[in-house]
Amino acid sequence: MTRSCLAVVLAAGDGTRMKSSKSKVLHPVGNLPMIAHVVGAAQAAAVDALAVVVGRDSDAVAEAANSAVPVSTHMQKERLGTAHAVLAARDDIAKGYDDLLVLFGDTPLVSPQTLKQARASLADGADVVVIGFRPDNPHGYGRLIEEHGELLAIREHRDASEEERKITFCNGGMMAVSGRLALELLDAVENDNAKGEYYLTDIVGIARSRGGRVIAIEASAEEVLGVDTRVGLARVEALWQAAKRHDLMTAGVSMTAPETVFLSHDTLIEADAMIEPNVVFGPGVTIASGAIIKSFSHLEGATVAKGCTVGPFARLRPGADLQDKAKVGNFCEVKNAVLGTGAKVNHLTYVGDADIGAGSNIGAGTVTCNYDGFNKHRTIIGEGAFIGSNSSLVAPVEIGSQAYVASGSVITGNVEGDSLAFGRAQQVNKQGLGRKLRERLQADKQRRQKDET
């Protein structure tokens, strides 16, 4: 029989050490709020429902915790300890789930595998499962005291004996609790301590005193790493990026300097794509096999098909759709535009709100003038068209297939297929006027210099 599971995510902390105008769980890792990473791990661990305990920025936190499984939010009006925070979700806990996971909204690196292992331990008969880890330096962490495979106690560093401080297995904070015992154990927690708070860790001793079985499982130190400061956020970001790069390269993606490539939570790159140094992927990017993303390019909300080349120094903005073997070169920007198969936008060009036909060539310095100050308009260019350098295409406008636009043109009307369009003033040469202009400008400069002295 499949076991049911509720995950309670604690996300009510003020996060004052972040020195931020928003809740710390809303700060992103891989361009996704930290709490969304935690929710995603819980969902991948097959939970049936999520209860998010909120405080500051409750509406924004609830929105960030959106999930494919039902999500409820519970306001924690007072901060009286972790057990008190969990009990804010009492109504959901009381529904009688088989398993209860207690997670933290500021630990974005927790893995579904660890949560699944915790649930499996409950299925094997444990009443409480504590998720522990082994830090490089255990100083300051609560130690997990074990004997014969069971967890006897969680001893805070300040209370531990010299012998206990030699233990390197430490409390990571997250737990799994038998659903049938959860409320009974939580309600038994008292606040007889210096801070007058209700500590979740006390349920270990309470469960054992009642004959329950308590065990600890081990997670990596990265998984339980919480974020309290901007420094901690940067550390977690670096760990997340390194893991994401590793996964992509293991799957067949080439990166010549992986430490300089920055990815998003939803970045999709197929095998045999090449990513050169100093590339940034914003949300919503898909790169197909055989594509090359050259150095110093920035992509967001873009689709790059097989065999395409992007960059160097290119920017693909949301809605950029490059079809097979299209090319976007150096210092080009593409936004909300489709580049057909083999189309080329090579140099110093802006293509926005446009459809570029297969095999077309867009010359250097071309601009699709898509905005009139109030509304956006579309430029449509047919297959095999050639747009000369330094052309301005004033949308809405259509350039037919195989048409030519002469360099330096300002095109305000449609151009039929196979036509040649000139949209520039006629050149006029005035013999000797250049010399007269130069003499006048030189005299003006000398006059100004004399007046300044």
Side-chain angles (χ1 to χ4, degrees):
M1 181 178 68
T2 302
R3 295 173 64 89
S4 61
C5 182
L6 171 69
V8 176
V9 182
L10 305 185
D14 290 328
T16 53
R17 293 175 64 194
M18 293 290 289
K19 293 181 170 54
S20 175
S21 61
K22 63 184 179 182
S23 169
K24 69 174 178 178
V25 300
L26 295 176
H27 286 263
V29 171
N31 290 311
L32 186 71
M34 285 193 286
I35 190 170
H37 285 275
V38 178
V39 167
Q43 184 177 321
V47 303
D48 297 281
L50 288 143
V52 182
V53 180
V54 298
R56 180 183 181 188
D57 298 325
S58 57
D59 290 342
V61 171
E63 183 178 355
N66 185 38
S67 171
V69 300
V71 179
S72 61
T73 56
H74 306 269
M75 180 65 69
Q76 185 188 17
K77 296 180 180 180
E78 296 180 279
R79 307 291 189 269
L80 299 178
T82 46
H84 177 264
V86 175
L87 280 172
R90 177 186 292 274
D91 291 346
D92 280 346
I93 298 171
K95 293 177 181 178
Y97 293 91
D98 295 313
D99 302 339
L100 173 68
L101 289 173
V102 179
L103 310 176
F104 296 91
D106 64 351
T107 56
L109 302 182
V110 62
S111 73
Q113 291 74 24
T114 293
L115 302 184
K116 289 177 181 178
Q117 183 183 354
R119 292 194 62 195
S121 297
L122 291 179
D124 287 340
D127 296 308
V128 177
V129 181
V130 174
I131 297 176
F133 72 111
R134 298 185 189 275
D136 293 334
N137 181 4
H139 182 82
Y141 292 106
R143 305 307 204 276
L144 300 182
I145 314 297
E146 294 181 295
E147 185 177 275
H148 304 306
E150 293 202 11
L151 181 64
L152 302 183
I154 301 176
R155 192 86 73 228
E156 294 303 321
H157 179 85
R158 63 179 177 272
D159 300 323
S161 66
E162 286 301 316
E163 194 64 27
E164 289 172 336
R165 289 184 181 183
K166 295 178 182 178
I167 297 171
T168 60
F169 196 22
C170 298
N171 178 30
M174 291 175 281
M175 288 189 184
V177 184
S178 168
R180 63 182 175 82
L181 297 175
L183 283 179
E184 177 185 329
L185 295 174
L186 289 165
D187 283 333
V189 175
E190 298 179 351
N191 65 339
D192 185 17
N193 54 67
K195 290 188 176 181
E197 295 185 349
Y198 300 87
Y199 296 134
L200 181 63
T201 51
D202 287 354
I203 70 172
V204 170
I206 295 169
R208 285 191 57 81
S209 70
R210 299 181 180 189
R213 181 168 176 251
V214 183
I215 68 167
I217 63 171
E218 184 174 344
S220 68
E222 289 80 7
E223 287 188 63
V224 302
L225 190 61
V227 174
D228 291 319
T229 65
R230 306 281 182 155
V231 174
L233 182 65
R235 181 185 177 192
V236 166
E237 179 75 35
L239 290 168
W240 185 91
Q241 290 288 344
K244 181 78 169 179
R245 296 178 196 122
H246 179 271
D247 289 346
L248 286 171
M249 289 187 289
T250 301
V253 176
S254 291
M255 297 184 188
T256 52
E259 69 279 5
T260 69
V261 175
F262 290 85
L263 304 153
S264 283
H265 64 100
D266 57 354
T267 303
L268 298 175
I269 307 178
E270 293 182 356
D272 288 326
M274 164 66 78
I275 313 298
E276 292 187 357
N278 299 294
V279 174
V280 176
F281 294 95
V285 176
T286 299
I287 308 296
S289 177
I292 300 173
I293 312 299
K294 295 191 174 182
S295 297
F296 297 99
S297 295
H298 189 287
L299 297 81
E300 179 178 355
T303 301
V304 179
K306 293 181 178 180
C308 291
T309 302
V310 176
F313 295 98
R315 185 182 181 195
L316 301 188
R317 292 172 60 193
D321 182 358
L322 279 58
Q323 299 181 357
D324 290 357
K325 297 183 180 179
K327 181 177 181 181
V328 174
N330 50 291
F331 300 102
C332 292
E333 180 177 334
V334 178
K335 187 270 298 181
N336 192 29
V338 178
L339 271 61
T341 301
K344 294 180 177 62
V345 182
N346 283 318
H347 322 283
L348 303 161
T349 292
Y350 171 69
V351 175
D353 298 291
D355 296 293
I356 310 298
S360 290
N361 188 90
I362 312 300
T366 295
V367 175
T368 57
C369 307
N370 56 330
Y371 185 51
D372 63 10
F374 296 93
N375 300 294
K376 298 289 182 69
H377 302 281
R378 204 154 188 88
T379 297
I380 299 175
I381 299 175
E383 295 183 1
F386 183 92
I387 310 300
S389 298
N390 199 35
S391 294
S392 296
L393 309 179
V394 183
V397 68
E398 295 187 23
I399 311 296
S401 296
Q402 307 297 326
Y404 277 76
V405 171
S407 296
S409 294
V410 177
I411 301 298
T412 59
N414 293 343
V415 178
E416 295 83 0
D418 291 317
S419 297
L420 172 60
F422 289 86
R424 60 194 183 202
Q426 183 177 354
Q427 179 174 321
V428 177
N429 297 337
K430 299 292 186 178
Q431 186 68 32
L433 189 57
R435 174 176 50 80
K436 294 179 181 179
L437 177 62
R438 182 172 60 254
E439 291 172 350
R440 191 188 75 189
L441 294 174
Q442 186 176 20
D444 289 344
K445 181 178 180 179
Q446 291 172 344
R447 191 180 304 111
R448 287 195 305 273
Q449 291 174 339
K450 183 177 180 181
D451 291 344
E452 290 172 359
T453 58

